[in-house]
Amino acid sequence: MKSAPTAIRARPSQHRQAKGGGGSGPGSGSGVGPGRGGNVGGGDRSVGGGSAVVAAPKPAPMIMMDSADTDPSTPIVTAEEQKRLEFQAKLHHSISLLIKRLKEGKPPAADEPTFIHEGKAEIQVWLTDKSAETLAALNKLGFEIVLNPKTGKLLIGRLDVEKLAALAELPSVRFIAPDTSRR
């Protein structure tokens, strides 16, 4: 089914009266000497000297577009891909690699020892809110709060590495990063 064509038209600018003089000598805007034109030619900044009325440019021609004519190289994001991208946006690169490694059963990455101790990841979690429901959901996952600043929506704590993906799935979690400041 073809949709109705969409018209796109450039908006013409207003007519402008040029300022500046058409004479010669200091302050005349003629382009020689200390003129007040603010550009090399003085007068209207878009023309280059003298006093004139500058007409608006001609309107751009009408472009007819049909939604069926969209560029095929533009990627179409599926709902599943959108969900994956939103999930990845919540994760620091090191946390993302850790989750991927755990799913694939690969050995630890080089930077993991800095924030993983005894099977628990020491992490910083930015939240959308610190409501009782959010804290209860974190507690249910086994998140151990190490630091809970009164200002801001940040928690620092520990969580079993196997539960990091579940933590990222919580709607109140905005971002998860490794906490390397303690060691």
Side-chain angles (χ1 to χ4, degrees):
M1 177 174 133
K2 285 205 167 223
S3 61
T6 306
I8 300 174
R9 171 173 252 182
R11 189 164 49 157
S13 62
Q14 304 270 332
H15 287 288
R16 294 180 286 171
Q17 174 68 38
K19 293 184 172 95
S24 63
S28 67
S30 63
V32 178
R36 287 178 266 149
N39 63 341
V40 174
D44 181 41
R45 294 180 190 275
S46 66
V47 176
S51 178
V53 174
V54 179
K58 291 182 181 180
M62 297 277 280
I63 301 171
M64 302 303 281
M65 294 179 65
D66 191 341
S67 63
D69 297 333
T70 58
D71 185 9
S73 66
T74 304
I76 297 174
V77 180
T78 64
E80 183 178 309
E81 180 69 9
Q82 180 68 29
K83 185 177 178 181
R84 188 188 67 78
L85 291 171
E86 289 172 3
F87 179 80
Q88 288 293 328
K90 290 183 172 188
L91 304 173
H92 181 275
H93 182 67
S94 296
I95 301 290
S96 178
L97 289 176
L98 173 61
I99 291 171
K100 183 179 178 182
R101 178 187 70 79
L102 290 171
K103 285 181 182 177
E104 296 172 355
K106 293 183 178 178
D111 66 341
E112 283 182 24
T114 61
F115 70 95
I116 296 179
H117 303 283
E118 299 174 12
K120 293 196 175 201
E122 294 181 358
I123 54 176
Q124 299 175 354
V125 182
W126 282 265
L127 304 166
T128 57
D129 65 76
K130 280 189 180 178
S131 66
E133 297 86 25
T134 298
L135 295 176
L138 293 171
N139 192 31
K140 186 176 179 182
L141 280 175
F143 184 75
E144 302 169 28
I145 297 174
V146 173
L147 184 63
N148 184 359
K150 297 298 177 199
T151 59
K153 298 173 185 172
L154 169 71
L155 292 176
I156 297 174
R158 295 182 199 96
L159 183 66
D160 186 348
V161 293
E162 301 290 335
K163 296 181 180 179
L164 286 170
L167 176 65
E169 294 284 341
L170 294 177
S172 56
V173 172
R174 291 181 66 194
F175 191 71
I176 305 168
D179 181 31
T180 56
S181 63
R182 302 226 176 279
R183 303 249 174 200

